[in-house]
Amino acid sequence: MIPYIRRAAGLCLVLLAALLVNAARVMVFEAGSLDGNPADRRPAIARWGQPRGEIVVDGRPVTGAWDSGQQLRYERSYTHGPLYAPVTGYASQTYGTTHLEHAEDAILSGTDPMLAPLPFWNDIVRGRRPGGNAVTTIRAAMQEAAYRGLAGKRGAVVAVEPSSGRILTLVSSPSYDPAVLSGTGREVKDAWARLNSSPNQPMLNRAIRQTYPPGSTFKMVTAAAALDAGVVTDVDAPTVTPDPFVLPGTRRVLPNEATGCRNASLAYAIQWSCNTVMAGLGVKVGLAGMVDAAEGFGFGDTGLKVPSWVARSNFDRDMSADQLALSSIGQFNTRATPLQMAMVAAAVANNGEIAHPYLVDRTTTSGGTTVHRTVRTSYRQAMRPSTATQLQRLMVKAVEEGTGANAAIPGATVGGKTGTAQHGLGNTGIPYAWFIAWAQAADAAQPAVAVAVVVEDAEASRTDISGGGSAAPIAKAVMEEALRASTP
């Protein structure tokens, strides 16, 4: 009898060893492929089995969660969804995440190791902490002013604090409610199809993901290049620029919307937006100098994140002289995001330095303990401080006595630059309306805000647009809110 017991015991040991080997194979060697198997719903059930953390604006959450009672239990909800959609993005059980919902997903979903009380805690307990919060730099009053100003028109507004890089406003219009994408089922799929097929592209984040020809607002980059290169040594001295101006190597005449541009000074050219003067200066600076200047402001950067990724703004590195002339006034292939042009205005306001723009001030645990705080860092030194000082004066004159008069704010110093961006076949489309500006309170040591506004479907004559009729009033409203918030 004993030999049979021994044989049975031996067989049991072999089977137990085989079971342990198989368990090790599944849990160690095949765990990765099994975790990624789309048929496994456990990760999704765990992910949506607890509420996500909040995205916070001015101390108040603009997100939430509601209990659907379904297998994927908690769906994302949004307060003033269309207003903050370019900031939050969406968190969808069907289509994933975008913008801050994506960039800060580990914090919001509770999987970030920094939320755990001890290292490797989540791996040991095989669980997740309550979702943490992402506290943004957005100011609600400024966001609302920008959104109201666009009034549903296609366009975008970005405002930053020049000294720190904090993004104070990020608006894209027309917008959408991210809540319609939160759950699952036919209604969500129908909403997705409707939003993606809309000719107005409401889910396109025009503030950071769309590039436009910047038109005359780019002349501030050309002016900085001319001053830094010594092509212009006196902003009030006449330039040797003919009018009419024939593009180099062609018979094409470059027109001016303004009068008095023949041999005009740089100051006059900025004040009244002379195409001929700025195109001529760009050619004199040369391709290499203009490329260096543009890239000094951030053009060509493919790695900019705020923390959502930002589309690359473009200034061609290989051009003929006539193409360089057009590029120097924001035409040809030159394209920029509204954030990029806000950074141009911020560089002028901040003595030539651009602080790295950022949208998240800090992340916290669900209880409010800070997990990570964004530290101010320098992004670029776009121009010499002396150059920035001169351009500040020119931008102020453009508002006080030139094309940017619609942005003037009583009791504050405002510098601005209007722009018209031609587009369409043969430039026959209604130009995009641009305005970039900065504002400083009378008793303040430094500017409070730099802003860029673009309006795609400006319903105005070309003259009105070039005079700041469409975009400048929006910028003014946003800057007024910024100045109000900065006043003690």
Side-chain angles (χ1 to χ4, degrees), residues 55-387:
I55 296 174
V56 180
V57 173
D58 267 353
R60 297 182 178 181
V62 296
T63 55
W66 70 279
D67 190 346
S68 68
Q70 305 298 315
Q71 190 177 50
L72 303 183
R73 185 172 175 182
Y74 288 98
E75 294 183 13
R76 195 60 145 163
S77 61
Y78 296 88
T79 304
H80 307 301
L83 175 63
Y84 293 109
V87 177
T88 63
Y90 58 76
S92 172
Q93 295 175 350
T94 304
Y95 298 107
T97 54
T98 57
H99 301 324
L100 282 191
E101 293 278 27
H102 178 75
E104 300 293 348
D105 182 66
I107 286 287
L108 297 170
S109 64
T111 60
D112 193 309
M114 294 298 292
L115 294 173
L118 296 171
F120 308 109
W121 179 267
N122 291 347
D123 294 332
I124 295 171
V125 301
R126 303 294 291 177
R128 64 176 70 196
R129 304 287 296 174
N133 303 323
V135 181
T136 73
T137 56
I138 296 294
R139 292 182 181 168
M142 294 174 63
Q143 187 85 356
E144 291 165 5
Y147 191 76
R148 284 195 308 268
L150 286 171
K153 294 178 180 179
R154 292 192 300 272
V157 181
V158 177
V160 301
E161 186 176 62
S163 61
S164 67
R166 293 163 58 91
I167 298 175
L168 308 176
T169 303
L170 194 75
V171 169
S172 177
S173 177
S175 191
Y176 72 104
D177 187 355
V180 301
L181 302 176
S182 293
T184 59
R186 174 53 56 189
E187 289 185 358
V188 171
K189 292 181 179 179
D190 289 345
W192 177 264
R194 182 176 65 255
L195 290 170
N196 279 284
S197 63
S198 171
N200 286 327
Q201 298 179 284
M203 287 202 298
L204 172 62
N205 191 334
R206 291 171 165 85
I208 61 173
R209 299 282 171 85
Q210 176 74 321
T211 60
Y212 302 89
S216 293
T217 58
F218 188 82
K219 291 173 182 176
M220 300 312 303
V221 177
T222 303
L227 288 167
D228 275 355
V231 171
V232 173
T233 56
D234 182 354
V235 297
D236 296 307
T239 59
V240 184
T241 310
D243 186 13
F245 179 89
V246 179
L247 293 174
T250 75
R251 296 181 179 179
R252 181 181 173 186
V253 175
L254 182 65
N256 281 311
E257 295 296 324
T259 59
C261 291
R262 182 176 180 272
N263 291 331
S265 67
L266 176 60
Y268 186 92
I270 295 298
Q271 181 180 355
W272 297 107
S273 203
C274 294
N275 289 336
T276 52
V277 171
M278 302 311 298
L281 290 178
V283 173
K284 291 176 184 177
V285 170
L287 178 61
M290 284 301 300
V291 168
D292 287 345
E295 292 183 352
F297 281 91
F299 284 78
D301 187 354
T302 59
L304 181 61
K305 295 181 179 180
V306 294
S308 304
W309 67 270
V310 179
R312 171 184 176 272
S313 296
N314 181 67
F315 188 85
D316 279 2
R317 300 177 63 89
D318 185 11
M319 291 181 280
S320 59
D322 60 311
Q323 293 168 343
L324 175 60
L326 291 174
S327 295
S328 299
I329 59 172
Q331 297 184 24
F332 188 54
N333 287 338
T334 303
R335 297 186 69 88
T337 62
L339 173 61
Q340 174 65 76
M341 296 315 297
M343 291 161 63
V344 170
V348 175
N350 196 44
N351 299 317
E353 186 214 12
I354 304 174
H356 198 293
Y358 64 96
L359 190 54
V360 177
D361 178 69
R362 65 188 184 278
T363 55
T364 73
T365 64
S366 59
T369 302
T370 297
V371 173
H372 176 266
R373 184 180 294 274
T374 303
V375 178
R376 183 216 188 271
T377 58
S378 181
Y379 175 69
R380 296 279 199 280
Q381 184 67 40
M383 68 191 96
R384 294 197 303 257
S386 59
T387 295

Side-chain angles (χ1 to χ4, degrees), residues 137 139 142 158-169 342 345-346 348-350 409 412-415 437-451 478-488:
T137 56
R139 292 182 181 168
M142 294 174 63
V158 177
V160 301
E161 186 176 62
S163 61
S164 67
R166 293 163 58 91
I167 298 175
L168 308 176
T169 303
V348 175
N350 196 44
I409 300 174
T413 301
V414 178
W438 52 269
Q440 180 173 345
D443 56 350
Q446 58 191 6
V449 62
V451 62
V478 173
M479 290 188 293
E480 285 177 328
E481 291 296 342
L483 293 172
R484 189 173 293 116
S486 64
T487 301

